[in-house]
Structures are given as C-alpha cells and as structure tokens.
Amino acid sequence: MTTTTTKLTTLKPPKKLKPARKQVAPGEVEKKETPQTGKEYNIWYNKWAGGDREDSYSNKTKSQTRCSIKRDQGLTRANTTGIRYCCLFFARGCCPYGWECEYLHMLPDASWALPDSSKDCFARDKFVDYRDDMGGVGSFSRQNRTLYVGRVKETGPGPDTEEIIIRHFKEWGEIEKIRVLQYRSVAFVTYVSELNAQFAKESMACQSLDNDEILNVRWATEDPNPTSKVAEQERIVDMGRTAIQERMDPRIVDAMRAVRALEDGDVLKDEEEGGGDDVEDEQRRELEALAEEEASESDDDGSHRAKRRRLDAPEPTQPLGLLNADTMEGLKYFAEIRKRHENTKLVKQNAPPKPLTSSLALDYGSDDD
C-alpha cells in the first residue's frame, strides 16, 4: 500500500546574517578509516573490492554531527570573494573554520547560476552516469531533484510518517512533493530546486528522524510514470523558454508570439481583450515610416498614394479572423514591397549589356592620322 501526497512548503525570508560560527573544534570529530575487507581498494565506490556490501551509504553508524541552518548559517569569506559554492563540511555539520571558511555557510539559492553546470553546489565534479548504488555526486546528464530515503522507521499511519519527513527535510529547501511507501520504510522527497536536493542529500546522510533510525539517503532513479515524465519535460522546456525570454528584446518576444499564434491558429490575448492598441499604433508608425522611405526611392507615385490610403484608413473596432484588419494590411504591404524589390532585381539582372565601342569608329580629329 502506498501513500502519495503533494505538499508545498515555503521558507521564511532569512534574517540579517551574522558571521558564521565554528560548528566543531579542530580534532573534535573522530575520523575512522574504512576497514580493509579485500585486497584492492576501489576509488570509484570508496571501498575495498571483494569485501562485504557495506559502504558509507549503507552503514549502520550514525553521523557524529548535524547541521542546523538556524544556528550555523552566517557570513564567510565567500560572501566577499563572490564564490557561489557551499561548504560540504558545513552541510554535514562539522566545519571547524566558521567565518574564515572559503565557501558559503548558507543554503543554495534556486536563482543562483553556478559557474559550471557540471559541478554540484559543493563544487564537486559530476559524472556521465550514476553509480550502481545511486550514491555519490550524481550525473550531469539528468536534472535530479528527488531523493530516495530508506530505513525510515514507521510508528504510525502514513500521514504521520509524512509529517515527520516533511518536518526534517523542509529545513534544506522548498519541497515540491512527498511520497511514502507505507510498510516498506521508504520515502521519496522531491525538492523544487536541484541544488537544495544536493544539499539535503549530504545533510541527512546517516542522520535520524524521531525514532533513532539511521537513514539511507541516495539519488532516486527516474520515475517510470509517463505522466511524471511529460510533466518534467514540460517543466524543463518552460525553464529554458523563461531563461531565453529574459535575455531577449521584448519586441522580439512579442513578434515570436504573434508568429506562433498565426501558425497554431490561436488568437493572442492582446487581440481578444483589445489591449494591443499601443502595439498597433507603433506598428502603424513603423509602416508609415517604411512607406515614406519607399516613396523617396520609388518613381511610381500612383502606387505610393494607394499604399498611403491603405495606411490612413480607419482601423476596425473588432478583429476579423485571427488578426485584425490593420495587421492584415501591414502583411499585405510588406508582401507588395518584397515582390516589387524582387522584380526590380530581376530587371537589373536581365538588362542588356552596353555595346562595346569599336576601334574603327574612333574619331582622331584628322584624316592624316
């Protein structure tokens, strides 16, 4: 039996930050080396080859430290040097440098643009593929915002377990949805930003909730639900479209919207609501300027007067079809200009060459010569 819920959590605006405090004293955290269980050490999986299956992600040892955003976040040297990466040891709750740290001691912001997209929020290099155990830094080939949380101890119904998970995981960022697999001790936590998911994965590794369990936090595999795949693809497309529109000229964006609406057979909201008067006036002025420019270059006064009469015609109050009459007149006018330019180029290309002057017809001014 599964319980699926979708909840949104919002973070309060941060207060004025103070210098970051030192989470631990130097030498306070006891560092234990990986016990040798084989003859070869695998640097990819960070364990001995040929040994047991216990690794840093499936161990049963609780972490000695835990980060508290409310108490530990603050200003560091990174706030003055412009570094956008967070401190990995701060996320784990064991940074001994405090305000002297070269990395940020705060949550990553979703609006940040990291200098290198192939690195995570801790400046660690991502890989092409995920590890077989879905641990480690992750992959840059897919944007993963979902964490797999295993070994969750359930002491009540599904909603109680969801409330506990939300209370512990909302500290690391805004949560989009929570899914709990009841009676399986498994939950999936999806954040709004991938950066917050990276931070939460390191902060909650080998931590406990309310029942002294030791969590197994890894990256979640891709959701096989077709609806979720389509929604994720649309979200990525919308993010790309928004990023491009923010860097483009608004006039170009409006022109692209008009072309898209014409191709799809839709009516723009500006035309439906009658709020495009300013845009139409601007288009009319541009058309008049083009008409005046063509008049100075053209010798055909009759066609120019006909075009001017069309431009000076009163605009209709109601749009006709997909585009209003003024827009249709403008399109027709541009088509006529283009056609006339093509005819002019064709006449110039087909003009006969001038005859060459024969040397016998030269006049030297004297019969003697």
Side-chain angles (χ1 to χ4, degrees):
M1 180 178 179
T2 61
T3 303
T4 304
T5 60
T6 302
K7 295 184 179 180
L8 298 178
T9 59
T10 57
L11 297 177
K12 297 181 180 179
K15 299 180 181 179
K16 187 176 181 180
L17 296 179
K18 299 180 181 179
R21 76 179 191 91
K22 297 181 180 180
Q23 295 173 303
V24 296
E28 182 179 345
V29 179
E30 182 181 358
K31 185 177 181 181
K32 297 181 180 180
E33 296 182 358
T34 306
Q36 182 174 353
T37 56
K39 295 182 179 180
E40 296 180 356
Y41 188 77
N42 191 324
I43 61 175
W44 177 264
Y45 290 101
N46 194 27
K47 68 177 183 179
W48 290 94
D52 54 21
R53 299 182 59 185
E54 299 293 331
D55 56 14
S56 59
Y57 289 92
S58 60
N59 58 36
K60 305 284 191 341
T61 305
K62 183 179 179 180
S63 178
Q64 303 178 43
T65 59
R66 179 168 178 170
C67 176
S68 176
I69 295 297
K70 184 177 180 181
R71 183 180 68 251
D72 296 336
Q73 74 172 348
L75 301 176
T76 60
R77 292 179 177 176
N79 295 99
T80 58
T81 58
I83 295 179
R84 293 295 184 89
Y85 297 106
C86 299
C87 177
L88 176 62
F89 299 100
F90 163 73
R92 296 174 177 175
C94 58
C95 182
Y97 297 106
W99 63 272
E100 297 178 343
C101 185
E102 299 294 338
Y103 294 90
L104 294 175
H105 278 207
M106 60 179 61
L107 288 175
D109 192 350
S111 61
W112 288 356
L114 296 182
D116 191 351
S117 60
S118 64
K119 298 179 181 292
D120 66 351
C121 65
F122 303 109
R124 299 179 299 179
D125 292 324
K126 296 181 180 179
F127 300 93
V128 178
D129 298 322
Y130 286 94
R131 289 175 20 171
D132 294 340
D133 58 357
M134 297 303 291
V137 179
S139 172
F140 55 77
S141 60
R142 179 169 68 93
Q143 189 180 41
N144 199 342
R145 303 177 294 125
T146 305
L147 299 179
Y148 164 89
V149 184
R151 290 203 295 262
V152 178
K153 186 178 293 186
E154 301 181 42
T155 58
D160 294 345
T161 305
E162 296 171 11
E163 190 275 331
I164 294 174
I165 294 177
I166 290 176
R167 177 159 42 85
H168 284 270
F169 278 85
K170 71 178 182 180
E171 182 179 5
W172 319 115
E174 185 177 355
I175 297 177
E176 181 177 302
K177 64 180 179 179
I178 297 282
R179 184 185 180 191
V180 176
L181 303 183
Q182 198 171 5
Y183 308 123
R184 295 186 183 181
S185 302
V186 173
F188 294 93
V189 182
T190 302
Y191 285 89
V192 175
S193 172
E194 184 185 17
L195 301 179
N196 295 114
Q198 296 170 359
F199 195 96
K201 179 178 177 295
E202 295 297 334
S203 300
M204 295 302 295
C206 299
Q207 299 290 347
S208 299
L209 299 180
D210 291 350
N211 303 306
D212 292 334
E213 66 270 48
I214 300 176
L215 299 179
N216 178 18
V217 184
R218 311 187 186 209
W219 291 113
T221 56
E222 188 176 2
D223 193 348
N225 188 357
T227 305
S228 300
K229 290 183 178 181
V230 172
E232 181 67 15
Q233 185 66 24
E234 292 178 354
R235 188 189 67 86
I236 295 175
V237 171
D238 292 340
M239 289 178 57
R241 184 186 299 110
T242 303
I244 294 174
Q245 289 180 356
E246 290 177 353
R247 299 189 178 185
M248 290 180 61
D249 191 345
R251 294 174 296 180
I252 299 179
V253 176
D254 295 338
M256 293 177 62
R257 288 178 59 243
V259 172
R260 181 71 60 84
L262 184 62
E263 293 176 352
D264 298 342
D266 299 332
V267 180
L268 295 178
K269 294 182 179 180
D270 294 340
E271 296 181 358
E272 292 178 349
E273 300 174 358
D277 296 338
D278 297 338
V279 178
E280 294 177 358
D281 293 340
E282 183 178 356
Q283 293 177 353
R284 189 182 305 105
R285 288 193 296 270
E286 293 178 357
L287 292 175
E288 291 177 356
L290 289 174
E292 293 176 359
E293 182 179 354
E294 291 298 329
S296 61
E297 298 176 358
S298 176
D299 298 329
D300 189 4
D301 297 335
S303 61
H304 170 62
R305 286 194 297 270
K307 294 167 187 174
R308 288 290 297 179
R309 284 196 298 270
R310 285 199 299 271
L311 290 175
D312 296 336
E315 58 179 286
T317 57
Q318 296 293 336
L320 301 177
L322 300 178
L323 302 176
N324 55 22
D326 185 69
T327 307
M328 294 299 298
E329 289 293 336
L331 294 176
K332 292 179 181 178
Y333 176 54
F334 280 121
E336 292 179 4
I337 293 177
R338 182 177 180 181
K339 184 177 180 180
R340 190 160 57 81
H341 279 306
E342 291 177 355
N343 295 335
T344 304
K345 293 180 181 179
L346 185 61
V347 171
K348 290 182 179 180
Q349 291 177 359
N350 297 334
K354 295 181 180 180
L356 297 176
T357 305
S358 176
S359 59
L360 298 177
L362 295 178
D363 187 7
Y364 293 99
S366 173
D367 293 339
D368 297 339
D369 295 337

